[in-house]
Amino acid sequence: MKKTFCMALLATLLMAGCTATDEAVTADNNPVIENILSRRSIRSYKPDKIEREKLDRIIECGIWAPNGQHRESWEVRVVTNPDMLAEIDSLYNIYSNGSNSRAAFGAPAVAFIAYDTTYDLSQVDCGLLGGNMMLAANSMGIGSCCLGGLARFMTSPQAATLLARLDFPDTHRLLYAIAFGYPNETPAPNGRRTDNVRIIE
Ligand SMILES: Cc1cc2nc3c(=O)[nH]c(=O)nc-3n(C[C@H](O)[C@H](O)[C@H](O)COP(=O)(O)O)c2cc1C
């Protein structure tokens, strides 16, 4: 009898748990959705390093992105070496005509993502990888910013030696970079248009 009561209590508790979970995944306060909607491009960073376990987690979330034919067609290099980041900064500054702009806004970690030129959907893989990385970072209070401009610079003749140090295979071409670091600003949302999206029902 006592055993039956315990089983019934356990079942009730489990059901209560399930209900709570079901509500969490469908409700407006869904933490995953909150994380997606709270991410902003960060263009000012604190100098603090990202803890290695958090960086590893960000990378792990990146490589768990869906990818075409499960080719994992990206090549990723995450630079945290301060000397190399400073070198990139100083060359970038010359490239951008001494505008004193920093290549990655002073972020302590920069991911360089290259796509496989022999696979037509590799750029999709790379975009999904980066999206996962930025959302994982945001969930841990770490800011990020996609950097198309930095990739343009890194693939310019002026940056050839820097690009070589990233050691991408000949089959791959740098597509974009992502800055990661603790935010030193809280930008307002940019807003989104919706007229370019339609549901056809
Ligand atoms: C492919 C791509 C390239 C980007 N390149 C740059 C860049 O070079 N510099 C920059 O400051 N922001 C860059 N961004 C960030 C966008 O400007 C930003 O995502 C957009 O303004 C929307 O703002 P939000 O990310 O805060 O929502 C890039 C974003 C993407 C997706």
Side-chain angles (χ1 to χ4, degrees):
M1 187 67 181
K2 204 172 173 189
K3 195 176 168 192
T4 315
F5 174 75
C6 285
M7 295 284 280
L9 183 65
L10 186 65
T12 311
L13 286 173
L14 280 173
M15 278 171 66
C18 284
T19 310
T21 308
D22 287 349
E23 273 167 17
V25 286
T26 53
D28 281 345
N29 64 354
N30 181 315
V32 175
I33 293 173
E34 257 172 43
N35 184 47
I36 291 168
L37 297 182
S38 67
R39 184 211 52 80
R40 306 277 174 268
S41 289
I42 298 298
R43 298 185 176 87
S44 175
Y45 293 92
K46 293 179 180 161
D48 314 42
K49 280 184 161 189
I50 299 174
E51 300 83 344
R52 183 54 195 262
E53 24 346 319
K54 290 186 183 169
L55 194 57
D56 287 343
R57 207 78 165 130
I58 290 169
I59 295 168
E60 184 188 11
C61 288
I63 64 176
W64 273 88
N67 60 94
Q69 300 173 1
H70 200 186
R71 288 177 179 228
E72 301 169 80
S73 69
W74 45 67
E75 284 281 338
V76 184
R77 308 289 181 264
V78 183
V79 179
T80 59
N81 181 297
D83 295 337
M84 187 163 173
L85 291 174
E87 268 182 70
I88 294 172
D89 256 354
S90 77
L91 255 189
Y92 181 80
N93 204 18
I94 299 168
Y95 170 85
S96 50
N97 298 322
S99 61
N100 224 10
S101 46
R102 300 189 70 182
F105 308 113
V110 182
F112 292 91
I113 298 158
Y115 73 98
D116 184 345
T117 56
T118 69
Y119 175 43
D120 60 349
L121 295 178
S122 183
Q123 295 192 19
V124 178
D125 290 353
C126 291
L128 292 169
L129 165 115
N132 269 15
M133 290 175 83
M134 290 186 282
L135 290 175
N138 191 50
S139 75
M140 294 186 276
I142 295 166
S144 64
C145 188
C146 267
L147 301 167
L150 178 55
R152 272 185 215 110
F153 160 67
M154 289 292 285
T155 49
S156 72
Q158 292 98 315
T161 53
L162 282 174
L163 183 69
R165 282 162 65 186
L166 296 178
D167 196 28
F168 289 123
D170 291 342
T171 44
H172 282 67
R173 182 179 162 81
L174 177 61
L175 183 61
Y176 70 117
I178 310 177
F180 289 101
Y182 286 99
N184 201 20
E185 62 168 4
T186 45
N190 255 338
R192 293 295 191 265
R193 50 188 278 220
T194 53
D195 60 298
N196 50 1
V197 182
R198 291 183 205 165
I199 298 173
I200 300 173
E201 53 188 355

